[in-house]
Amino acid sequence: MPKHYLMCRPEHFAVEYAINPWMDPEQGADRDTAIRQWEGLKAAYEELGHQVSLIDPVEGLPDMVFAANGALVVGGRVYGAKFAHSERAAEGPAYLRWFAERGYATKEASFTNEGEGDFLTLDEVILAGTGFRTDKAAHLEAQEFLGLPVVTLQLVDPRYYHLDTALFPLDGRNIAYYPGAFSQGSQEVLRRMFPDAVIATAADAEVLGLNAVSDGSHVVINVEAQELQLELKRRGYEVIPVDLSELRKAGGGPKCCTLEIR
Ligand code: ARG
């Protein structure tokens, strides 16, 4: 089943502020390398037969490449993002406008949330992260707007500040995740809901290996996540490794660059 993704070319990408532990403004990041790596990710999706739409990058919004944070789209309904940090605040309206102009039913959020960074959608449930960025009140707001049950998960490690840095859906029913990113109670919830999940190692998590995108049979994943790739292959998935090392300097990977339109 072909997917539809929204992406944003990193034309204004930079690491010039630090809002997560991966970002070091002194070290910065190379825009041309980021653009080249991002083009590789876009090409990978297109080779798999997925449709990629583009939103115009906005000058002064260096993190806008991380489209996953721009909204949450389920069944053509678009729940807008409301960013936790002022540096990214203008991205919310920019993404919501893109959808409104194309006739989607949009909802401006009343509570802080960073879109698919903290909301991951399965067939019958949305998994939602909180602890660093997204307010728990937004979980209820999303549930009421989208009509899917939302399960709150508590993130506890600042390196894994968004849910999508620690967990990804393999398909509509199963997931892969790194337990160390979650509170004890949330680990228990995940074990109960997904007894058959792929459990990632700390080494996989440290290269943002969980920030992956699966279409149900292919998994687009950071090339450095070696153990996780092996386990995915063992489970019968086709693994598509990508190099997004420059974008990782801002704390992002393949999933962060990808907003699914469903
Ligand atoms: N620098 C961005 C931030 O900290 C990275 C966002 C990564 N996106 C994601 N979906 N995890 O907000």
Side-chain angles (χ1 to χ4, degrees), residues 61-256:
L61 296 176
D63 272 334
M64 192 168 169
V65 57
F66 300 117
N69 303 135
L72 166 66
V73 188
V74 181
R77 281 183 246 183
V78 185
Y79 178 56
K82 190 172 189 290
F83 282 82
H85 297 98
S86 58
E87 291 89 338
R88 299 194 66 186
E91 292 181 44
Y95 276 93
L96 207 60
R97 201 174 319 119
W98 190 93
F99 285 101
E101 284 170 0
R102 283 157 187 81
Y104 287 84
T106 57
K107 181 182 174 60
E108 220 176 284
S110 309
F111 300 100
T112 301
N113 83 88
E114 299 197 347
E116 280 203 323
D118 274 318
F119 288 107
L120 295 173
T121 304
L122 285 84
D123 287 347
E124 306 297 341
V125 67
I126 296 175
L127 302 177
T130 191
F132 297 101
R133 301 286 179 92
T134 295
D135 191 328
K136 260 188 311 203
H139 296 183
L140 179 60
E141 191 173 45
Q143 172 170 288
E144 290 300 308
F145 177 56
L146 300 168
L148 263 179
V150 174
V151 171
T152 294
L153 299 167
Q154 183 75 43
L155 296 164
V156 295
D157 182 333
R159 288 174 304 169
Y160 308 116
Y161 56 93
H162 276 145
L163 181 64
D164 75 355
T165 62
L167 182 154
F168 71 94
L170 291 162
D171 53 31
R173 307 197 165 272
N174 201 11
I175 62 167
Y177 68 103
Y178 170 56
F182 297 91
S183 67
Q184 287 302 326
S186 293
Q187 288 183 34
E188 210 174 314
V189 169
L190 288 170
R191 278 198 300 273
R192 203 180 282 273
M193 288 182 76
F194 305 102
D196 198 29
V198 170
I199 303 296
T201 63
D204 292 324
E206 278 161 21
V207 293
L208 288 180
L210 279 309
N211 195 252
V213 177
S214 173
D215 64 10
S217 29
H218 312 88
V219 181
V220 177
I221 182 170
N222 272 337
V223 61
E224 299 89 346
Q226 290 294 335
E227 292 173 292
L228 185 52
Q229 289 183 40
L230 270 181
E231 179 55 21
L232 291 166
K233 285 181 199 163
R234 238 178 263 132
R235 300 257 190 145
Y237 292 93
E238 189 180 323
V239 168
I240 322 284
V242 290
D243 177 8
L244 289 188
S245 50
E246 211 57 29
L247 290 151
R248 192 163 48 232
K249 295 178 180 170
K255 171 58 205 170
C256 298

Side-chain angles (χ1 to χ4, degrees), residues 18-52:
I19 56 173
N20 71 54
W22 303 83
M23 302 175 87
D24 178 1
E26 304 243 295
Q27 197 206 339
D30 184 65
R31 182 169 308 151
D32 292 338
T33 307
I35 291 177
R36 192 164 31 77
Q37 294 179 341
W38 177 91
E39 295 284 1
L41 175 66
K42 178 171 173 281
Y45 290 140
E46 287 169 340
E47 272 160 40
L48 289 171
H50 302 314
Q51 180 189 347
V52 176

